[in-house]
Amino acid sequence: EPEALDPRLRAPDLVDRELSVGLPDAATRRALLERLLADVPRAGDVDLGAVAARTPGFVVADLAAVRREAAVSAALRGAGSDPSEQVRQSDLLDAVGSVRPISLSGGGTLGSGGLTLDDVGDMTEVKAALTEAVLWPLRHPDSFARLGVDAPRGVLLYGPPGGGKTFLLRALAGSGDLNVFAVKGAELLDKYVGESERAVRELFRRAGEAAPALIFLDEVDALAPRRGGSTDAGVADRVVAALLTELDGATPLREVVVVGATNRPELIDPAMLRPGRLERLVFVPPPDAAARADILRAAGRDVPLADDVDLDALASELDGYSAADCAALLREAALTAMRESLDAGEVTAAHLATARRAVRASLDPAQVAELEAYARRRSDG
Ligand SMILES: Nc1ncnc2c1ncn2[C@@H]1O[C@H](COP(=O)(O)OP(=O)(O)OP(=O)(O)O)[C@@H](O)[C@H]1O
Ligand SMILES: [Mg+2]
């Protein structure tokens, strides 16, 4: 933490050279793995390049931990029976999943809770927009270079509450392709003078080091409200200024994409939404009947449903239900089944009907109309 040192120590006449030992890139990680695994008996399917590609943000100590975990699982498999057991590719990849890299341990990263994109029902358009705006720049920087354009810097997801914005980003973090740094708007704000701006700079610096990375500013309306209107002695204004500076790349961002999410886009400072900043606006609409059916299927993947349950028919009756309501409905139905009998083995149509009396539609038509009007204004240009 060089910034934490007494500046007098870093004066030009005292300690006058500074050498930064950054995070290893994929090629370096591969070389490190080669060396770390030099004495480890490896099966033929081991592909260290693939392991290196899966470990952005890992420092050499993390890679050593991967080696240890992989060796332990190989040893357990061979215990007693086959003392010549070797480390396989699957051991290494499992180990990658279980090691939490040091560079990400400072908090602020998004726990995916084991979610994957398969857990997310519907949202096809939103997923496609995110793939283009988030995964392309990270996976195909050469294509952007060839066409002579900069990759989009940021995306703003907006839509009514409970639409799955946060959920989708958690699933994206779980896909393992990139490091996700997440903050909630309010978390950064309530700090001492000057601390919030420092936290913003620190966030972007750490993401830059862990590239390819994604910075997720959840509830960004709290973080970047219209300037000049606040009552908190200008803290919010200074945070907006710091965010704009970072987004404009005072320190050039390499392979870092920023995604914001909000259910009140009109509160965000317009300067945040200019090209080069959160330029791509993606509307997450309230789910229609087909989308609700998809969401019910995804949310109910592990719920044993009785034969009399028709999710499509159910979905078509759930007008005004958000994605969160649909998920809550299934949860409530399962609880209803449990209340009847703790040994309940399936959830029936009757349970769902009871649950519908407890879980009401939460979408507010006025708010939805407002958001749709906003979406129309934006797409008209
Ligand atoms: N597409 C989906 N498929 C399955 N479940 C979903 C989906 N979208 C949302 N859910 C469920 O709804 C819950 C709430 O969604 P989430 O918190 O992501 O909404 P949000 O859009 O971030 O709302 P807010 O604007 O209030 O922050 C999730 O935890 C999940 O259980
Ligand atoms: Mg949210």
Side-chain angles (χ1 to χ4, degrees):
E1 291 191 55
E3 301 303 328
L5 280 178
D6 189 319
R8 283 171 299 176
L9 190 65
R10 300 171 77 195
D13 54 349
L14 210 49
V15 179
D16 63 351
R17 297 281 161 88
E18 290 187 5
L19 199 61
S20 149
V21 182
L23 286 177
D25 60 11
T28 312
R29 288 196 299 274
R30 192 197 160 120
L32 288 168
L33 283 166
E34 272 314 333
R35 173 52 59 93
L36 284 168
L37 294 170
D39 297 332
V40 175
R42 285 181 250 167
D45 68 340
V46 169
D47 173 2
L48 294 184
V51 180
R54 285 277 306 277
T55 47
F58 280 54
V59 295
V60 63
D62 301 320
L63 295 175
V66 168
R67 169 182 66 171
R68 188 176 57 240
E69 291 299 317
V72 167
S73 36
L76 286 177
R77 189 173 50 237
S81 55
D82 180 9
S84 67
E85 187 58 51
Q86 296 171 319
V87 168
R88 300 179 191 160
Q89 180 76 353
S90 58
D91 296 327
L92 287 167
L93 292 181
D94 289 347
V96 167
S98 65
V99 170
R100 184 174 165 73
I102 295 170
S103 69
L104 304 184
S105 61
T109 51
L110 193 64
S112 72
L115 283 180
T116 65
L117 285 176
D118 289 340
D119 294 304
V120 183
D122 184 61
M123 303 189 83
T124 13
E125 280 166 35
V126 183
K127 278 188 205 164
L130 275 184
T131 309
E132 209 174 281
V134 174
L135 294 182
W136 282 5
L138 302 178
R139 290 213 184 119
H140 312 288
D142 318 344
S143 306
F144 284 95
R146 193 162 54 240
L147 294 177
V149 291
D150 287 336
R153 171 65 48 81
V155 180
L156 178 70
L157 296 180
Y158 65 103
K165 301 179 291 295
T166 309
F167 191 66
L168 181 59
L169 262 291
R170 279 174 57 203
L172 199 64
S175 72
D177 286 333
L178 61 171
N179 292 310
V180 177
F181 292 80
V183 283
K184 282 211 180 215
E187 280 170 8
L188 275 182
L189 278 189
D190 137 63
K191 302 220 164 136
Y192 298 103
V193 175
E195 278 297 288
S196 308
E197 295 98 291
R198 211 181 61 82
V200 168
R201 281 197 301 274
E202 178 68 14
L203 175 69
F204 278 78
R205 186 188 64 75
R206 292 200 318 158
E209 281 185 352
L214 183 152
I215 297 179
F216 179 40
L217 306 172
D218 204 0
E219 282 148 39
V220 64
D221 47 280
L223 193 60
R226 277 172 194 279
R227 276 172 291 182
S230 58
T231 50
D232 54 0
V235 175
D237 289 4
R238 288 202 308 275
V239 171
V240 177
L243 266 177
L244 294 178
T245 314
E246 293 298 334
L247 282 169
D248 285 344
T251 35
L253 288 175
R254 197 175 46 93
E255 300 184 358
V256 176
V257 181
V258 183
V259 177
T262 180
N263 47 39
R264 289 176 303 174
E266 74 287 350
L267 293 188
I268 296 175
D269 192 277
M272 283 289 291
L273 307 180
R274 286 220 325 261
R277 297 168 181 168
L278 300 181
E279 53 190 303
R280 224 17 229 280
L281 270 76
V282 178
F283 183 40
V284 184
D288 59 12
R292 288 193 295 266
D294 267 350
I295 292 165
L296 286 171
R297 266 189 289 276
R301 268 200 317 174
D302 299 327
V303 179
L305 293 172
D307 290 335
D308 64 349
V309 177
D310 179 353
L311 286 185
D312 289 305
L314 176 66
S316 62
E317 293 168 17
L318 296 178
D319 266 332
Y321 278 66
S322 68
D325 300 336
C326 293
L329 183 66
L330 280 174
R331 250 191 321 272
E332 181 60 29
L335 281 175
T336 312
M338 280 173 66
R339 277 183 211 119
E340 266 174 36
S341 153
L342 281 174
D343 301 321
E346 57 181 13
V347 172
T348 63
H351 294 139
L352 280 162
T354 315
R356 268 182 66 187
R357 284 199 287 279
V359 181
R360 292 286 174 189
S362 72
L363 286 177
D364 169 11
Q367 188 185 13
V368 171
E370 225 169 87
L371 284 164
E372 278 167 349
Y374 183 88
R376 267 196 307 279
R377 276 203 303 284
R378 295 295 307 196
S379 57
D380 289 346

